[in-house]
Amino acid sequence: MAKYTLPDLPYDFEALEPHISAKIMELHHDKHHQAYVTGANTALDQLAEARDSGNLANVNKLEKDLAFNLGGHVNHSIFWTNLSPNGGGRPEGNELAAAIDEFFGGFEKFQAHFTAAATGIQGSGWAVLSWDAIGEQLIIQQLFDQQSNTAQGTVPIFQLDMWEHAFYLDYLNVKADYVKAVWNIADWSNVQERFTAAREKTAGLLVLS
Ligand code: FE
């Protein structure tokens, strides 16, 4: 039985218009995200077959397939919930707002840093606001492809898909306009929930010394 399944979107395809079109949302969720789910299940099945047969000659390829496709599944699953037709504005009067002030020097500085990280990605990838469980701080990371360039022990709480499939139909090559539009649909209540869970569930988990 398939281990991973495609989650439903928490809103209709057209719900994020005019910031992200229904066409993009439908393709992105039903085709792209589905492909990562299928790919992750296939990689798991093929790894199980390889163990059973004892033929592990393809292990490098299969591990890469698993990382890429499971990464894609996780990334998109978080991304959908980070957005809402009722989003926008900024976190206010909560722990997330205070943490953004503490670790980035204010919301505007966070926003500028996150935007630069997003629009500056070389190739395909994501901008990610993460809880660093070792440093006990929020950090911004550039995630390459679906799985590279981030540290173990960081928990994503807000992430933005910067693959061309996420914006090209609506914004062509103008990444900055896409990022600007996303600020209107960022669901800070979801990010606050993820922030609380990330801190509570990783407290004391990663001890390096
Ligand atoms: Fe995507």
Side-chain angles (χ1 to χ4, degrees):
M1 206 181 87
K3 183 79 179 172
Y4 307 112
T5 55
L6 182 68
D8 289 336
L9 282 178
Y11 35 72
D12 295 335
F13 291 131
E14 66 271 23
L16 303 180
E17 290 187 345
H19 309 294
I20 301 178
S21 67
K23 188 71 183 165
I24 281 188
M25 292 305 293
E26 183 174 2
L27 283 168
H28 201 172
H29 177 267
D30 289 4
K31 304 296 182 190
H32 291 279
H33 190 169
Q34 179 64 62
Y36 296 117
V37 170
T38 303
N41 285 320
T42 300
L44 277 188
D45 289 346
Q46 291 179 346
L47 282 163
E49 282 169 27
R51 281 193 304 275
D52 287 347
S53 70
N55 179 1
L56 292 157
N58 285 332
V59 72
N60 289 359
K61 176 199 179 294
L62 296 177
E63 296 292 358
K64 278 187 183 168
D65 287 351
L66 180 61
F68 178 78
N69 287 290
L70 181 53
H73 178 36
V74 171
N75 293 330
H76 289 88
S77 298
I78 295 171
F79 177 53
W80 307 135
T81 67
N82 284 159
L83 303 177
S84 165
N86 304 312
R90 60 175 66 192
E92 278 182 284
N94 57 21
E95 292 166 330
L96 177 63
I100 286 174
D101 286 348
E102 179 182 356
F103 299 119
F104 300 106
F107 185 75
E108 285 78 11
K109 286 182 176 158
F110 155 74
Q111 212 172 21
H113 180 169
F114 190 91
T115 298
T119 56
I121 286 165
Q122 296 173 323
S124 297
W126 297 72
V128 188
L129 174 64
S130 304
W131 177 247
D132 160 16
I134 298 167
E136 298 186 320
Q137 61 184 340
L138 288 174
I139 59 172
I140 290 168
Q141 306 187 93
Q142 286 181 320
L143 173 64
F144 297 155
D145 300 319
Q146 301 292 357
Q147 80 276 33
S148 304
N149 200 51
T150 60
Q152 301 274 45
T154 57
V155 181
I157 64 170
F158 176 68
Q159 55 182 97
L160 178 57
D161 194 337
M162 294 306 297
W163 282 59
E164 285 189 347
H165 68 227
F167 63 83
Y168 209 84
L169 281 177
D170 291 345
Y171 296 96
L172 299 179
N173 60 324
V174 191
K175 290 183 186 181
D177 284 356
Y178 164 61
V179 178
K180 203 170 161 187
V182 166
W183 296 120
N184 295 309
I185 45 175
D187 185 354
W188 296 113
S189 62
N190 175 264
V191 183
Q192 168 66 55
E193 283 172 27
R194 291 185 178 281
F195 177 51
T196 301
R199 276 181 313 160
E200 288 178 357
K201 292 177 182 178
T202 61
L205 183 67
L206 291 160
V207 179
L208 297 186
S209 58

